Amino acid sequence: MTSAPVAPAAPGASVTSAASVTPSRGRGARIALRTVQVLLALFFAVASAFPKLIAHSSAADTFAEMGWGNAGMYTIGVLELAGAIALLIPVLQSAAGAALSALMVGAFVVQLTYFDGEQAATPLILMVPLLLVAWARRGHNEELFRLIRRA
């Protein structure tokens, strides 16, 4: 088969190739992912960890009802805050997404066992973007492992 001749572009005309479109799509995806990470970090730090760390009655009553007390409440609060911060540190982003996802598995089980599944969908919904972050930022894991080996 022969291909048809391609007419040269007119002077001053813009020629867009697939190669020049791809970087802008990649940039948009990176910005969207970063936005998701910031929103997740804000949620985990402000809406989830903060009430536990200041022993707000909403958190304290829930942990008392489960029989976990203040120690359990503060432990979960610290883990959530650490995960929120780690979501914003490039070398820790993937690990943070995976760790917070594991925490959400625990939250799902707690919702089912202690609270008859009232809010069981919330941790499952949060797991979707957390796992996306863990997968999309997995390239940082090699650097993290290198840093751990050096220490």
Side-chain angles (χ1 to χ4, degrees), residues 34 37-49 77-89 92-93 96-97 100 103 130:
R34 189 66 170 162
Q37 287 176 242
V38 169
L39 292 174
L40 285 167
L42 284 171
F43 171 80
F44 277 102
V46 177
S48 196
V78 166
L79 290 172
E80 289 175 338
L81 183 59
I85 293 167
L87 280 171
L88 303 176
I89 300 171
L92 299 174
Q93 293 168 345
L100 286 170
L103 197 61
L130 287 168

Side-chain angles (χ1 to χ4, degrees), residues 67-120:
W68 293 16
N70 287 341
M73 178 179 64
Y74 291 130
T75 300
I76 300 296
V78 166
L79 290 172
E80 289 175 338
L81 183 59
I85 293 167
L87 280 171
L88 303 176
I89 300 171
V91 73
L92 299 174
Q93 293 168 345
S94 179
L100 286 170
S101 293
L103 197 61
M104 290 301 97
V105 169
F108 174 73
V109 170
V110 165
Q111 288 295 328
L112 290 179
T113 56
Y114 287 100
F115 302 107
D116 299 322
E118 288 178 30
Q119 305 286 329

Side-chain angles (χ1 to χ4, degrees), residues 33 36-37 40 44 87 93-105 123-139 141:
L33 183 62
V36 167
Q37 287 176 242
L40 285 167
F44 277 102
L87 280 171
Q93 293 168 345
S94 179
L100 286 170
S101 293
L103 197 61
M104 290 301 97
V105 169
L124 294 178
I125 291 168
L126 287 168
M127 282 178 63
V128 173
L130 287 168
L131 290 171
L132 173 68
V133 168
W135 180 80
R137 301 296 192 194
R138 69 192 181 281
N141 290 339

